[in-house]
Amino acid sequence: MSAPANITLAVTGASGSIYAAEILRTLAADTRVTKINFVASDSALRVFAEELELSGRNDLAEKLLGAPCPKLQHHAETDIGANIASGSYPTDAMIVLPCSMGTLAAIANGLASNLIQRAADVCLKENHPLILCIRETPFNRIHLRNMQLASDAGATIFPAIPTLYNHPQSTQEMARQFVHRVLAHIGLPQPDAYQWQPD
Ligand SMILES: Cc1cc2nc3c(=O)[nH]c(=O)nc-3n(C[C@H](O)[C@H](O)[C@H](O)COP(=O)(O)O)c2cc1C
């Protein structure tokens, strides 16, 4: 099977902007990926400002990448008429990183009331991989129930929990290893990914 080329990346208002920055850079540099549809929620922009001291709306992705990226298309969270809102559009996979409990709840319950939720809803109905990198601690029973609902509908619950067995030397290295695991999961293994080597 060929590697997924058309990826939707959604960023929501959970903690973990560094993951979003890292996955965007990796997707931009990956020549197998020919199209990135990028959507950030309003809350994601707020968290970016808090965690990375980075502001921006239509140019957030370019700011993160440090240069324009021709294969990247920026969408407003409110643009419910965007390409990825339609089942006729050939998305290969969608990743929500980080995924807030609010967006998880909306996806799990089929609300589809903004572009992120609608694009996720489309992935579920069209059987495209949908990876929800949820982040919260601790979980309440509503969160747990919504994870079960989303998983039953076909989403992969892929918690934004970094590994330590690879001895990361920085938060960026931690984020990178997590991103590599997410991308390997959708069929985009990265050449420099850490692999566990037992003694
Ligand atoms: C700095 C900051 C960190 C946050 N961290 C989380 C988090 O880790 N998980 C979560 O579910 N919500 C978190 N929130 C709250 C969400 O941003 C909020 O529930 C928002 O309505 C989610 O909207 P969205 O799903 O449309 O992005 C955080 C908010 C701020 C300002």
Side-chain angles (χ1 to χ4, degrees):
M1 215 165 75
S2 56
N6 189 326
I7 309 289
T8 298
L9 176 63
V11 183
T12 69
S15 181
S17 306
I18 189 173
Y19 292 117
E22 202 54 44
I23 199 165
L24 191 59
R25 284 190 210 109
T26 310
L27 288 172
D30 193 322
T31 52
R32 295 167 295 181
V33 177
T34 54
K35 178 83 181 181
I36 306 166
N37 285 294
F38 179 80
V39 202
S41 71
D42 274 357
S43 310
L45 302 181
R46 173 70 202 277
V47 179
F48 263 97
E50 294 288 339
E51 294 187 341
L52 298 184
E53 293 175 5
L54 200 75
S55 61
R57 186 171 287 274
N58 300 332
D59 59 349
L60 179 69
E62 285 74 14
K63 279 187 177 165
L64 285 168
L65 294 171
C69 176
K71 65 182 177 181
L72 186 138
Q73 189 174 358
H74 224 288
H75 301 283
E77 181 189 24
T78 49
D79 186 8
I80 213 67
N83 52 9
I84 53 173
S86 171
S88 64
Y89 182 75
T91 301
D92 290 320
M94 175 170 177
I95 300 165
V96 186
L97 175 59
C99 181
S100 72
M101 293 300 105
T103 291
L104 167 71
I107 293 171
N109 291 281
L111 298 192
S113 60
N114 67 26
L115 182 59
I116 295 172
Q117 299 164 19
R118 168 64 185 167
D121 198 65
V122 167
C123 283
L124 292 177
K125 82 183 176 76
E126 301 293 337
N127 288 329
H128 299 313
L130 171 65
I131 316 297
L132 304 179
C133 301
I134 49 103
R135 217 254 30 130
E136 186 51 277
T137 195
F139 295 126
N140 65 34
R141 292 183 74 157
I142 297 170
H143 302 150
L144 294 168
R145 223 176 289 135
N146 285 334
M147 280 184 236
Q148 179 79 62
L149 277 175
S151 172
D152 288 346
T156 299
I157 303 297
F158 205 122
I161 302 174
T163 56
L164 298 175
Y165 54 76
N166 52 320
H167 303 289
Q169 299 300 303
S170 63
T171 49
Q172 192 176 8
E173 216 180 290
M174 243 184 209
R176 189 173 302 139
Q177 165 67 0
F178 177 77
V179 161
H180 286 170
R181 291 293 301 276
V182 172
L183 293 178
H185 192 79
I186 62 162
L188 284 172
Q190 298 298 305
D192 54 339
Y194 171 86
Q195 275 189 351
W196 170 248
Q197 303 283 356
D199 296 329

